Amino acid sequence: MKFSYTIILLTVSVCSMAQSQREKKNFDFDWKFFHGDTIEAKNSGFDDSKWQEVQLPHDWSIEQAVSKENAGQGWMDGSMGYLPGGTGWYRKSFTVPVTYKDKKVVIQFDGVYHQSDVYVNGKHLGFHPYGYTTFEYDLTSYLNYGGENTIAVRVDHSDSPSSRWYSGSGIYRHVWLKVTNPVHVATWGTYITTPEITEKEAKVNITTTINNGSKNPVEVLVENQISDMRGKKIAAEKSKLRVGESKQEALKQSLKLKEPLLWSIETPNLYVMETTVKASGKIVDKYKTTFGVREIRFDAKNGFFLNGENIKMKGVNLHPDAGSLGTAVPDQSYLRRLQILKEYGVNAIRCSHNPPTSEFLDMCDSLGFVVIDEAFDKWKSGYYKEYFDEWWQRDMDAMVLRDRNHPSVVLWSIGNETSEQYDKTEEGTKRAVMLRDYVHELEPTRLVTAALQPDKSRQFNKNGFAQSLDVVGYNYQEQWLEDEKEQFPNRIMYISEAYPYYRGKGKEYNAFYPVNPWYDVANNDFVFGQFIWAGVDYLGESSGWPSTGWPTGPFDVCMFEKPSAAFHRSVWNDTPMVKIAVADQSLDIDPGKPHWSWPFLADHWTFPQYEGHVIQIQTTTNCDRVELVLNNESLGIKNTSDYSNNTINWYVPYEKGTIVAKGYKAGQEVISYELKTAGEPVQILLSADRTQIAADGQELSHITIEFVDDQGVVVPNADQVITVEVVGNGRLLGLDNGDLRRDSFTGNSIPTYFGKVLLTVQSKRSKGNINVIVKSDNIPKATLQIATE
C-alpha cells in the first residue's frame, strides 16, 4: 500500500499565509546547545561560540552513553533506558525586520521535555513544566526590531522520578515563529463541528475566536469558506463581529455542505476551511483549518459506530520515541511508521500516555486512523504530582483546543492507571469527575475515557471511579469483562492495553493462558476494540540490564515486522495470508517482561545446527487450511479450525532447502509463503524507501541494509559489524538493528541483527546528492545515491 508524501506538505502549511497577513516560520535550524547549567546563558551577550550546533527536534539523552549507573534516572530502574537526563541550555540568535514592529510576534514550542524556562534578550518569558504539551510566548514587547535577538531555553531533566518510559531530554519537537497583525484569529481559534449529517447535506457549525491586540475597539468581517482537497470552493458564510480593545471575542456561524464526502477509515476525506478576517475593508488575517465530516457514536451493547457502521478498533499503543532517533523524531519517520501499521491492519491508535504532535494527528486524519488522545499518565503521583493542581487545566486546554478539529480523534483520555482508582475515599473519583466535566465543557462532542490498572478487588467500582467515566478502558482485564458487563450493563468498554499473546484467566490477569485476547473483542459485541501493548518496541521501561527498552511489540524500532506479528495480521485482514515461523527458545532475542512476551520465533529457514532434528514450525493464517511442503514434498494439509490462535503447529525433521506454506479457502489455493535456507553472505543489499527527497533539512530516506547470499536470500546467522559513511547533501541521523540491548545509540557502526540494519538519512538544505557507502569485513562495500531537490 502506497501513500503520498503530500500528506505532510498539506498539513504543515496549515495557518501559513501571505506575509502581509500571517506568517508561520519553522524555527528548527541554527540552534546552539550546552549539556550543563549556566544561568548566564540567558543573556544576549553570552558567548556560545563553543557550544554544540544542533537542529531541532533535538534529544540530548539519546546522544549520551548507555550505563547501568543511570538506572535511577526515571520512575524506576530502566525507565529512561539507562540513559541520563540532566540540565541543558539552547540558544538561537535571529534578526527581526523593522516591518514586524507593528505586528504581534509569538514563539511556539510544540514540546520541551521538561521544566523549561524561556528567555528572550535576557527577559524571562515563563516556565512550562509538562513535557508533552504545546505552549507559546508573546515576544512583541521584548524584540530588537531591525537588529539581532536571542532566544535562550533552559531545560531541567535532572529530577527523578520522571516519565515511566523513555522521554528523552530537550526541545524534542518543532519550534515556530508566528507573526500576525494585532487583529487576528487566536491560537487554535477555530472550532468546527458537524452535528447533523445526511447524504444530501451536512450542517457545519463554526466558532471563530478573534483577538484584538490593538488599542482601539474594532469591527471585523469574518468569512469562513470551505474547499475540498482539490481546492474547489463549495460553501461560505460571512458575519460581522465587534471586538473591544485588547479583548477576545468568539463568533458562531453555521452553513450547509451539500452532498458531503464523509471521513472514514477507508476513505479519509478532508475539507479545508479558510478564515478571512477584514478590518476597515482590508484583510488582516487568513487562517486555514483542516477538518472532516463524520459521525461517531458509542453504544454499551454494540460498541463503536463510525458514520453508522459498526467497527471494531484494531488498535496499538504507541510511545513517542523511534530507537536511535530518541524522541526527536522527524515527521517523515512517524509517517513511515503509520503507513506500515495501516498496511498491517491497524485502524486505531492510543497515544500513550501523552498528547502526540499535531503533525502526527494530521497524518492520522489523512491515512484513516481513529485516535484516543490522552492527556496524562498519572495525576497526583509521579513527577506531575507537584504541578497537577496549578497546571492540569492549562495542559488540558493545550491538548483539547489544539486537537479538537481532527476527525481522527474520537475519544479524550484523561489518564492511565492513576493511583486514584484505588482510593478508599471519594477524593479520587471527585478528581476524575472534575477532569471529565472540564473536558465536556471545552469540547462536548466526544466522550471521555481513562484506562484502569488490573485490580482483583475492583476498587475502581466500589469507589465510583469507573462509573465517573463515559467510556471505561481496561488494561489486561479481558477475562473479567463479561462479569463487568453483567454488573454494569450500561457501561461502554474496551481493552485499552492488551497482552500481545497471552491472556488472563479466572482471577489471574497474568495467567499465561495461550489464547490471544483479541478473541475477547471479536466474540463480544460490547467490547469495541483493543490496543496492543505495545504496537512498536520502544526505549525505556526496560525489564532489566542490559536491555534499554520494551522489546515485545509486533514491530521492532526499525519497523521490521516480527514473526510474532503474524497473528494480528491474520485476524485484522480479510486478504488471504499465511506465514511460517520456527519456534526456537535458543534464539538470541531480548525476552522483555514475561507476560508481554511470545515464545521465541524465527522467520527464516537457516538452522544448520538442527540438521536431522525435529523442530516445531508454526503456520499462522486466515485461510481454512494450510499445506506444508518441504523441498517439493508435501507434509500434509491441516485445518486451521483444529488449532488455537489461527496458528497450526507442525513437527518436522529439519533439512535445508525450501519450505512452503500454501493457504486454501473453499478448496482452492489462494496464497503461499516460502522460506529458503541461506548460504554464506556475499553481498550487502541496500534498499531505500525514497531515493529522492526534498533539500529542506527535514526529509528522510530510510535504507534497509541486509546481508544476502548469492541467491539474494537474507543471511540471518552471520551477523557482523557494518560501518556507514554518508557524504554529500545529507547526514546520518540514526542506525538501528532492532535489538535494544545496546551500549550506545550514536556512531556510524552497528552489528546486523538477523542479517539486517536500518539506516536513517536526513537531507541538508542544499540541492545535490547524498552518497551512502556501507562496508563490512570480507564482503564488498555497497553504495547508494539519494537525490535531494
Side-chain angles (χ1 to χ4, degrees):
M1 188 178 296
K2 189 175 182 180
F3 301 93
S4 171
Y5 188 61
T6 54
I7 292 168
I8 296 296
L9 299 180
L10 287 168
T11 55
V12 169
S13 65
V14 168
C15 306
S16 180
M17 303 304 299
Q19 287 191 4
S20 61
Q21 297 145 14
R22 172 181 291 260
E23 293 181 71
K24 185 178 180 183
K25 295 185 175 183
N26 183 280
F27 222 50
D28 289 347
F29 298 99
D30 305 319
W31 288 79
K32 296 288 192 73
F33 170 71
F34 171 67
H35 189 197
D37 200 4
T38 172
I39 192 62
E40 297 302 317
K42 70 179 183 179
N43 298 320
S44 297
F46 180 83
D47 182 8
D48 59 17
S49 60
K50 295 182 179 179
W51 284 19
Q52 178 187 353
E53 295 182 0
V54 298
Q55 173 183 325
L56 307 182
H58 179 248
D59 170 10
W60 81 66
S61 288
I62 201 69
E63 300 171 351
Q64 310 304 311
V66 176
S67 172
K68 198 173 183 179
E69 294 179 1
N70 296 321
Q73 178 72 36
W75 183 277
M76 53 190 170
D77 286 359
S79 287
M80 269 288 287
Y82 300 100
L83 288 158
T87 302
W89 279 85
Y90 294 85
R91 286 169 53 87
K92 177 183 172 74
S93 296
F94 61 103
T95 300
V96 176
V98 175
T99 53
Y100 283 2
K101 198 164 187 178
D102 295 324
K103 304 283 188 177
K104 182 181 178 69
V105 184
V106 169
I107 188 168
Q108 175 180 304
F109 294 87
D110 285 352
V112 180
Y113 200 91
H114 61 175
Q115 301 179 137
S116 64
D117 287 277
V118 180
Y119 304 83
V120 62
N121 297 332
K123 304 294 185 181
H124 186 239
L125 298 176
F127 170 73
H128 188 84
Y130 193 41
Y132 298 110
T133 49
T134 300
F135 59 98
E136 64 181 29
Y137 296 113
D138 188 348
L139 306 181
T140 309
S141 301
Y142 308 106
L143 292 174
N144 177 21
Y145 295 94
E148 190 172 87
N149 299 270
T150 302
I151 286 282
V153 183
R154 181 181 185 268
V155 184
D156 181 9
H157 191 193
S158 59
D159 63 327
S160 180
S162 184
S163 295
R164 293 186 296 131
W165 54 92
Y166 179 80
S167 62
S169 305
I171 308 177
Y172 71 102
R173 291 181 178 175
H174 293 304
V175 177
W176 307 92
L177 192 71
K178 303 192 298 184
V179 184
T180 62
N181 287 309
V183 178
H184 59 275
V185 178
T187 298
W188 310 320
T190 54
Y191 177 38
I192 304 169
T193 59
T194 54
E196 299 172 14
I197 305 170
T198 67
E199 288 187 9
K200 292 184 177 180
E201 67 177 23
K203 181 180 181 181
V204 181
N205 288 341
I206 305 162
T207 301
T208 308
T209 302
I210 304 296
N211 275 348
N212 178 13
S214 71
K215 298 179 181 179
N216 299 299
V218 63
E219 184 176 81
V220 296
L221 179 67
V222 179
E223 179 181 13
N224 279 309
Q225 183 172 266
I226 296 175
S227 302
D228 61 24
M229 293 307 287
R230 295 170 297 177
K232 182 181 179 182
K233 299 173 184 178
I234 51 181
E237 179 70 22
K238 296 180 182 179
S239 300
K240 291 182 178 181
L241 177 70
R242 184 173 177 81
V243 188
E245 60 181 277
S246 302
K247 297 289 185 180
Q248 184 180 87
E249 297 290 345
L251 172 68
K252 293 187 177 182
Q253 296 170 299
S254 183
L255 52 79
K256 301 290 186 180
L257 197 60
K258 299 296 182 182
E259 298 180 347
L261 298 175
L262 301 186
W263 184 93
S264 69
I265 291 169
E266 293 79 16
T267 55
N269 296 300
L270 295 169
Y271 292 92
V272 176
M273 185 182 75
E274 182 176 74
T275 303
T276 301
V277 182
K278 291 183 178 180
S280 301
K282 295 182 179 180
I283 296 175
V284 294
D285 197 12
K286 285 192 175 184
Y287 185 96
K288 287 187 177 181
T289 308
T290 302
F291 72 100
V293 178
R294 53 97 173 109
E295 178 192 44
I296 56 173
R297 178 169 63 88
F298 290 88
D299 181 86
K301 183 177 180 181
N302 294 306
F304 172 63
F305 292 81
L306 177 60
N307 302 326
E309 180 184 356
N310 190 216
I311 290 174
K312 292 287 190 182
M313 291 190 191
K314 304 167 183 176
V316 295
N317 287 276
L318 293 180
H319 269 322
D321 73 272
S324 64
L325 306 185
T327 53
V329 184
D331 299 332
Q332 184 69 41
S333 178
Y334 279 141
L335 178 62
R336 173 177 176 264
R337 173 178 292 194
L338 289 172
Q339 288 172 338
I340 291 170
L341 291 172
K342 182 78 173 183
E343 188 280 331
Y344 178 62
V346 174
N347 66 11
I349 306 291
R350 178 176 175 235
C351 299
S352 48
H353 303 290
N354 51 264
T357 68
S358 59
E359 292 83 8
F360 181 92
L361 292 177
D362 290 335
M363 297 172 204
C364 291
D365 292 342
S366 296
L367 294 173
F369 289 95
V370 292
V371 174
I372 299 178
D373 203 352
E374 192 154 83
F376 308 113
D377 184 24
K378 310 299 183 184
W379 300 335
K380 297 280 278 187
S381 61
Y383 94 86
Y384 198 63
K385 178 180 180 180
E386 65 177 294
Y387 298 119
F388 180 86
D389 289 333
E390 180 181 355
W391 283 90
W392 73 264
Q393 194 166 327
R394 280 179 277 185
D395 287 325
M396 192 68 78
D397 286 350
M399 179 184 79
V400 174
L401 297 181
R402 187 196 70 173
D403 299 345
R404 58 188 174 176
N405 292 317
H406 288 282
S408 58
V409 176
V410 296
L411 282 172
W412 301 118
S413 176
I414 56 177
N416 173 71
E417 296 184 349
T418 66
S419 60
E420 286 82 354
Q421 75 172 66
Y422 296 102
D423 280 5
K424 302 295 184 182
T425 68
E426 296 179 353
E427 287 306 307
T429 299
K430 288 181 179 178
R431 193 166 295 133
V433 169
M434 174 184 71
L435 290 162
R436 179 203 67 195
D437 289 350
Y438 186 73
V439 173
H440 284 167
E441 182 181 350
L442 272 183
E443 205 292 293
T445 72
R446 298 171 177 89
L447 299 180
V448 172
T449 186
L452 305 178
Q453 193 170 35
D455 177 14
K456 294 178 186 179
S457 72
R458 298 185 225 180
Q459 180 65 19
F460 49 71
N461 288 330
K462 298 173 185 177
N463 62 18
F465 186 91
Q467 292 91 315
S468 73
L469 304 170
D470 301 327
V471 178
V472 179
Y474 292 85
N475 291 355
Y476 316 112
Q477 299 171 73
E478 59 279 341
Q479 71 277 11
W480 300 333
L481 291 185
E482 290 188 11
D483 292 342
E484 288 283 285
K485 192 62 179 177
E486 185 175 348
Q487 186 177 358
F488 300 97
N490 294 322
R491 180 172 292 178
I492 302 169
M493 57 182 65
Y494 67 105
I495 304 174
S496 40
E497 294 180 20
Y499 295 120
Y501 180 77
Y502 296 109
R503 179 188 185 276
K505 188 176 183 181
K507 295 182 178 180
E508 299 299 326
Y509 64 86
N510 55 354
F512 294 94
Y513 188 59
V515 173
N516 199 285
W518 171 252
Y519 294 113
D520 293 278
V521 179
N523 297 332
N524 291 289
D525 291 342
F526 64 87
V527 183
F528 68 73
Q530 72 158 207
F531 294 80
I532 302 170
W533 191 270
V536 179
D537 291 352
Y538 60 92
L539 298 178
E541 221 169 348
S542 162
S543 60
W545 182 264
S547 178
T548 61
W550 192 278
T552 58
F555 292 87
D556 65 23
V557 293
C558 304
M559 290 307 296
F560 295 156
E561 187 172 335
K562 300 179 188 177
S564 57
F567 170 78
H568 287 95
R569 182 176 284 280
S570 75
V571 294
W572 285 357
N573 292 278
D574 295 327
T575 302
M577 62 79 60
V578 62
K579 291 288 184 77
I580 303 171
V582 176
D584 182 359
Q585 294 307 113
S586 71
L587 291 166
D588 181 23
I589 293 176
D590 185 353
K593 295 181 179 180
H595 214 284
W596 287 266
S597 67
W598 294 71
F600 289 174
L601 300 172
D603 55 356
H604 65 82
W605 192 243
T606 306
F607 294 94
Q609 70 274 30
Y610 295 142
E611 189 73 40
H613 292 241
V614 175
I615 62 174
Q616 182 184 355
I617 297 172
Q618 297 181 356
T619 53
T620 302
T621 187
N622 55 13
C623 297
D624 304 330
R625 309 174 78 195
V626 172
E627 179 181 14
L628 196 63
V629 179
L630 177 58
N631 293 332
N632 298 317
E633 181 180 345
S634 177
L635 302 180
I637 299 178
K638 295 185 178 183
N639 295 320
T640 309
S641 59
D642 293 337
Y643 297 83
S644 62
N645 293 329
N646 283 41
T647 300
I648 300 170
N649 287 308
W650 309 74
Y651 295 90
V652 177
Y654 174 80
E655 62 180 65
K656 66 180 181 180
T658 303
I659 188 165
V660 180
K662 299 179 180 181
Y664 293 84
K665 282 194 172 186
Q668 300 294 316
E669 181 183 338
V670 292
I671 192 72
S672 66
Y673 181 81
E674 74 173 28
L675 297 174
K676 291 185 177 182
T677 303
E680 295 297 316
V682 298
Q683 181 186 357
I684 302 172
L685 185 65
L686 307 182
S687 305
D689 64 345
R690 304 170 73 224
T691 56
Q692 182 175 312
I693 58 178
D696 61 359
Q698 304 265 8
E699 287 202 12
L700 308 178
S701 179
H702 299 91
I703 302 168
T704 301
I705 303 171
E706 297 171 306
F707 287 152
V708 298
D709 67 9
D710 58 1
Q711 300 299 310
V713 178
V714 175
V715 182
N717 61 341
D719 290 322
Q720 61 188 54
V721 173
I722 58 105
T723 300
V724 175
E725 184 180 3
V726 177
V727 295
N729 295 314
R731 63 172 179 145
L732 190 162
L733 197 64
L735 271 176
D736 288 287
N737 62 11
D739 187 358
L740 292 175
R741 296 166 295 177
R742 296 179 63 173
D743 58 10
S744 174
F745 288 93
T746 60
N748 68 333
S749 295
I750 192 173
T752 57
Y753 186 58
F754 291 105
K756 300 172 75 173
V757 162
L758 180 72
L759 164 65
T760 304
V761 173
Q762 187 172 53
S763 67
K764 294 181 181 178
R765 288 181 286 171
S766 58
K767 296 181 179 181
N769 292 321
I770 304 171
N771 294 302
V772 177
I773 303 102
V774 181
K775 300 176 182 178
S776 189
D777 291 344
N778 304 314
I779 303 176
K781 70 178 181 182
T783 61
L784 180 69
Q785 189 172 88
I786 307 294
T788 65
E789 298 184 352

